[in-house]
């Protein structure tokens, strides 16, 4: 079985062309009892928007459920799956839910369904602040 992380590279390459910071396996809420992690979270440096991406090989229902939950924490939420899996999805479900869909194939990816914008809520703001703190810790020079 091919691991989900094998799909990360094309997504990372696509987003690195833009003005984004990245965090893999991002815990949106800092608490000892929370095991929730978002596969990939990007932060747009210009607009200050958080973008969540749940990566799955085939379980689109689980991906959709997680992506819907991610709208609580981020401005935009996507699922990313292999192109062959995306080809057979009912994209209307994702359009109606406001969840974006990314098809990944070898070394590239393509947005097939654009997500809807989720307004900033106190939870989104808290998540953005957490992202900034965690990102800053990762990029501080060592003494």
């Amino acid at each position: 079985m091919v691991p989900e992380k094998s799909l990360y590279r094309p997504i990372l390459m696509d987003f690195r062309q833009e003005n984004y910071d990245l965090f893999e396996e991002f815990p949106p809420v800092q608490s000892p009892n929370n095991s929730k992690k978002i596969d990939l979270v990007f932060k747009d440096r210009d607009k200050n928007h958080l973008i969540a991406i749940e990566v799955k090989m085939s379980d689109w229902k689980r991906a959709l459920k997680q992506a819907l939950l991610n709208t609580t924490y981020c401005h935009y939420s996507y699922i990313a799956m292999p192109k062959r899996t995306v080809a057979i999805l009912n994209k209307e479900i994702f359009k109606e839910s406001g969840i974006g869909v990314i098809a990944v194939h070898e070394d590239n990816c393509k947005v097939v369904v654009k997500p809807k914008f989720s307004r900033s809520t106190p939870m989104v703001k808290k998540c953005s602040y957490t992202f900034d703190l965690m990102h800053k810790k990762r990029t501080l020079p060592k003494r």
Side-chain angles (χ1 to χ4, degrees), residues 16-81:
R16 283 202 177 124
Q17 294 173 13
E18 303 295 330
N19 196 24
Y20 296 103
D21 289 323
L22 160 72
F23 210 101
E24 291 181 39
E25 303 296 323
F26 180 72
V29 179
Q30 296 294 306
S31 73
N33 300 330
N34 184 34
S35 62
K36 166 80 175 134
K37 289 192 172 41
I38 302 171
D39 293 332
L40 299 170
V41 175
F42 294 91
K43 185 168 187 180
D44 183 321
R45 290 186 204 122
D46 296 329
K47 296 179 182 174
N48 216 27
H49 291 162
L50 291 179
I51 302 161
I53 303 177
E54 284 296 336
V55 180
K56 295 286 177 266
M57 295 305 291
S58 60
D59 191 349
W60 69 267
K61 289 180 183 177
R62 184 166 178 231
L64 177 60
K65 182 179 174 183
Q66 290 176 322
L68 286 167
L69 179 61
N70 292 345
T71 61
T72 304
Y73 307 113
C74 297
H75 297 98
Y76 296 97
S77 185
Y78 289 89
I79 67 158
M81 302 183 89

